[in-house]
Amino acid sequence: DLVEDSTFINNTAVTSGSSGGNGGAVYSGGNSIVNIVDSVFIDNYAVDKNGLEDAGIYVYGSGTSSSTLSISNSVILPREGHTGVALYVCDGATATAENNFWGDNSKANTNANVEKWVIMSADYNQEESILTVAFNSTNSTDGTIAEYDGVLPDGFNVSVRSSSGGLDEILP
């Protein structure tokens, strides 16, 4: 199955009895193969049977059923205040997540296989009072910063705050 150029915002999966509550936006199970490209996931989550918050993207696997998921060139922003992962992969399932932006420049918020992720840079031109934000680099598990030659999809906002009351330095 292919999910392409799609947007998932504020979706929730809630447990009903003893089932459900996994994958607020995407649940991959039953030996499925899912490829996601050029998509946006914002504030998606699930609530499991214990009332705990779970991932917005969930890949199921067990001894008899094993799903495979691949996601690339996408934006994955977990629900604000969410302490779990945005993409959860069960034992027995497989997921690869490459060249995605996860909401900050840290390593991806997932237990999926991730070798490199998109990072944001910002540059402030004080003379013209212009802040330019770009998503043109990747970071990798070995710490290598490289050029990102892909394009992230539109559909998400970038907020900038200053702790000093002004923007007078180049931001990391």
Side-chain angles (χ1 to χ4, degrees), residues 29-32 60-67 91-93:
N31 294 318
S32 62
Y60 180 76
S62 72
T64 59
S65 176
S66 181
S67 300
D91 290 340

Side-chain angles (χ1 to χ4, degrees), residues 99-156:
N99 294 322
N100 299 295
F101 179 65
W102 297 84
D104 62 35
N105 290 345
S106 303
K107 187 171 187 296
N109 183 14
T110 181
N111 64 335
N113 296 322
V114 178
E115 291 297 320
K116 61 182 179 174
W117 58 95
V118 176
I119 57 176
M120 181 180 76
S121 62
D123 184 41
Y124 179 63
N125 180 323
Q126 188 172 14
E127 189 174 297
E128 297 180 25
S129 297
I130 296 174
L131 178 68
T132 303
V133 175
F135 298 89
N136 56 6
S137 299
T138 60
N139 197 352
S140 66
T141 53
D142 69 4
T144 301
I145 305 294
E147 184 177 332
Y148 172 57
D149 57 2
V151 176
L152 291 176
D154 293 333
F156 67 103

